[in-house]
Amino acid sequence: MDKLLRVFLGMSVFLSMITYTYNADSSNVFLARMTLSDIFGGMSIVLFFLGKWNKGFDLRRIPKEYYITFGMLIFISSSIITSLSKKETVKEMLILFYLVIYSYVLFDVYKKRIFELFRIIALTCLCFSMVAIYDLIAVNLNWFTVFPNPSKIVGGSSFRYFGQAANYAFTMLCVLIPYYLSEIAKYGSAEDKRIYTGAIVATLLLMFSTGRISVLISFFISVLFYVVLFFRDHKKEIFTFFGVVVVFLVLVFLFFPDIIENTILRFQLRISNRIEGHLGSEFFVDNIKGALQAFMDNPILGSGLGAFVGVYSIYEIHGTYFKIVGETGLVGVVGYLFFLGMFLKLCLKIKTLFFKYFFPFLFGSIMCWGYNYHLRKKEFWLFFTVVLILNYLQKNEKETKI
């Protein structure tokens, strides 16, 4: 049972970079939202609790952080009372409860197998990032592509939307880069070094190929912070990183100029050359205005999680902070702040070498969540689980290399 559970969980992580669903437009939450990763994740949860049922399940063994997390879910679930679409709010809450339970199962299974979990994450990023880069090249050269109908100007062919690919890549880099610097470079085998180096480079290329401005800005802020803190100690890694970026951009500019032009245009519309009335320039401002209006209409419980679309806008609220404000009101804000405070405290409690390199990327992540909604993303809960496991190891293991 335990071995089968690990196989299913490993597959759920490995397939997490494929976000296609049976019918994204379906009103059925399972048909619209369930991915291949979720099928294996769901089976893993069933196997896990069947095993616990047979052995006896002690609620006291669940880390207190998960009780705080479930408390947050209860707080934001209260928005269903005033929800403008109770069906949509129920859908959103089902997704969040599933992701938190999934995170707990991951934690319990891998809390003493952290190296195995990192290896699965690295292999996932390496394989699917390489496929995404290949598909981007192939579709421009009229070659065979692995995934159907990839875009010619943005990467991320295994994802339904290029924004999903950017967020996933950035979040996993925030885990993989500190891990590589803290453990693998000193203690890992030659094979480990190749896997993690390849995974980081491939994921970087995937992230840049999406042209997702909010993610790229957050990442470069993280890198700038990292350079300021560690330039003396890691000159080689820093110059290698910038070298990879420059070579990649030159090659793309020479062979696929449309990708560069699209990224520059997106940056101009959002930052340097905003055009009044243009969706690319006005979207985020309108998004914030809509969120604040939803809050003003119902400051206690908001418009209902997921119920903003179709009433205040044809688009959902992108940023986590404004989404919580507009859709869950003051009650949801309180719940989320307790959760965020707990998570940041967990991060700050990591005293091992990992945190030294993780801190700049944590700072970038907090900024990124201001534009991107992270609670509904599986990669965030992988990120959360890793932090929780590192805290567990710090408390319970006499020595850890990480």
Side-chain angles (χ1 to χ4, degrees), residues 69-114:
T69 303
F70 277 110
M72 174 196 67
L73 296 187
I74 292 171
F75 270 66
I76 63 179
S77 293
S78 64
S79 67
I80 195 170
I81 296 172
T82 57
S83 176
L84 301 175
S85 176
K86 289 180 169 51
K87 184 177 180 180
E88 291 302 318
T89 300
V90 169
K91 283 183 183 180
E92 290 293 317
M93 293 315 305
L94 285 174
I95 293 168
L96 293 183
F97 274 100
Y98 160 73
L99 288 171
V100 174
I101 295 170
Y102 174 77
S103 169
Y104 171 65
V105 173
L106 272 174
F107 166 80
D108 197 80
V109 171
Y110 287 107
K111 63 187 178 185
K112 295 185 179 179
R113 300 176 180 274
I114 186 70

Side-chain angles (χ1 to χ4, degrees), residues 141-322:
L141 298 177
N142 295 317
W143 295 350
F144 164 80
T145 60
V146 177
F147 288 94
N149 306 315
S151 170
K152 288 189 173 184
I153 56 175
V154 291
S157 58
S158 63
F159 294 84
R160 276 185 299 169
Y161 311 113
F162 76 95
Q164 293 177 333
N167 291 325
Y168 192 104
F170 175 61
T171 305
M172 291 300 97
L173 284 170
C174 291
V175 169
L176 288 175
I177 293 175
Y179 179 70
Y180 176 86
L181 293 171
S182 63
E183 194 278 331
I184 291 298
K186 293 184 178 180
Y187 301 101
S189 65
E191 181 184 4
D192 285 332
K193 291 177 183 178
R194 286 193 293 269
I195 290 173
Y196 284 93
T197 301
I200 290 170
V201 171
T203 309
L204 278 170
L205 298 183
L206 169 61
M207 183 182 67
F208 285 122
S209 72
T210 65
R212 178 80 167 182
I213 301 304
S214 61
V215 168
L216 294 179
I217 290 174
S218 299
F219 181 75
F220 275 113
I221 288 172
S222 298
V223 170
L224 181 61
F225 201 177
Y226 175 85
V227 170
V228 170
L229 291 175
F230 305 117
F231 182 76
R232 289 185 178 181
D233 298 330
H234 293 281
K235 292 180 182 178
K236 180 180 177 182
E237 290 85 353
I238 290 169
F239 283 121
T240 300
F241 163 74
F242 283 109
V244 169
V245 172
V246 170
V247 170
F248 173 72
L249 293 177
V250 169
L251 290 174
V252 172
F253 179 77
L254 292 175
F255 296 102
F256 308 104
D258 289 347
I259 297 173
I260 297 293
E261 290 176 9
N262 175 64
T263 303
I264 293 173
L265 176 62
R266 291 171 62 83
F267 180 83
Q268 290 174 334
L269 288 173
R270 284 158 177 76
I271 308 295
S272 63
N273 187 26
R274 298 173 60 83
I275 300 174
E276 186 175 351
H278 194 289
L279 179 63
S281 296
E282 301 294 335
F283 170 75
F284 191 50
V285 174
D286 291 342
N287 216 231
I288 293 174
K289 288 180 179 177
L292 294 177
Q293 184 61 54
F295 174 77
M296 294 300 294
D297 290 345
N298 197 326
I300 305 300
L301 295 172
S303 64
L305 194 66
F308 179 86
V309 177
V311 179
Y312 293 96
S313 174
I314 60 173
Y315 303 104
E316 73 169 332
I317 304 172
H318 272 44
T320 302
Y321 313 131
F322 283 102

